[in-house]
Amino acid sequence: TGLWKRQGSGDSCTNAATGSAGWYYGAWNNRDAWCNFDTAAATSGTLASGSISLPAGSLYLGFAYFYETESTAASFDRRYVDISTNDGTSWTQLSQLSGDTMNTWLQKQIDISAYAGQPNVKIRFRFESGDAWYNAFRGWYVDDIVIYTTPTTSYSSNDNIPDNDAPNNMIAPYWDDLM
């Protein structure tokens, strides 16, 4: 919902951690002639997976992200990761991303073992500008979204995991197929 879209090679706002495609919250803005999330109003949107049946055991959600917003503070241009265990009827916040470095690809790993064994799980990325001011920034890019069965300290966009391939310890490597 909102300004979320799949970006591919040749798109005006493309920026992927690996490969040539990724998910993006923002748009080409003719008024500013730049990729941003300035709609002249407060803006928000969600990017949710399809249903995932999680196996029992240790599980970790990993993804790469890049952002440029008004501030790194938690109270401005908020970026969240949520989970649902009832096919999207209700959601629980896993993480609010804040205080991190802007304008560089970063990696995040979240322990989701508490949700192991659930049959109707969805993962959601949620962006909220909170207001209509200072929104002429690039926005939020998310790429290389996977669910691991073992923790890793080396999860990195530098692993060069293609968009449709992944090591054996990943149970949901095909994010595009889950939308």
Side-chain angles (χ1 to χ4, degrees):
T1 65
L3 298 176
W4 280 107
K5 66 189 64 54
R6 180 81 171 144
Q7 294 292 293
S9 60
D11 292 339
S12 298
C13 303
T14 295
N15 183 6
T18 60
S20 61
W23 294 99
Y24 173 53
Y25 189 86
W28 176 258
N29 188 322
N30 288 325
R31 179 181 52 207
D32 302 324
W34 186 246
C35 298
N36 61 48
F37 56 97
D38 187 0
T39 63
T43 182
S44 65
T46 61
L47 171 68
S49 72
S51 290
I52 306 166
S53 183
L54 295 178
S58 298
L59 298 171
Y60 303 86
L61 170 67
F63 58 94
Y65 68 100
F66 177 106
Y67 79 104
E68 181 185 59
T69 60
E70 176 180 353
S71 170
T72 63
S75 56
F76 297 100
D77 302 332
R78 298 172 299 273
R79 298 165 290 123
Y80 301 97
V81 182
D82 304 324
I83 192 166
S84 171
T85 58
N86 55 14
D87 212 26
T89 301
S90 61
W91 296 89
T92 300
Q93 182 179 312
L94 290 172
S95 180
Q96 180 181 9
L97 303 173
S98 63
D100 43 4
T101 304
M102 266 196 250
N103 292 310
T104 189
W105 280 99
L106 303 167
Q107 294 79 42
K108 181 73 173 175
Q109 183 174 275
I110 301 170
D111 186 341
I112 59 170
S113 300
Y115 303 95
Q118 299 287 324
N120 296 307
V121 172
K122 288 188 175 189
I123 304 293
R124 171 174 84 173
F125 296 87
R126 179 169 43 107
F127 183 89
E128 299 175 357
S129 70
D131 58 39
W133 299 281
Y134 306 108
N135 293 338
F137 297 95
R138 289 183 73 179
W140 188 20
Y141 295 85
V142 180
D143 198 7
D144 297 342
I145 307 161
V146 293
I147 296 176
Y148 290 90
T149 57
T150 56
T152 177
T153 57
S154 65
Y155 175 77
S156 168
S157 61
N158 295 327
D159 289 342
N160 292 319
I161 299 168
D163 288 337
N164 289 319
D165 194 15
N168 292 331
N169 69 334
M170 296 183 194
I171 64 156
Y174 307 118
W175 186 257
D176 290 342
D177 298 339
L178 301 174
M179 293 294 131

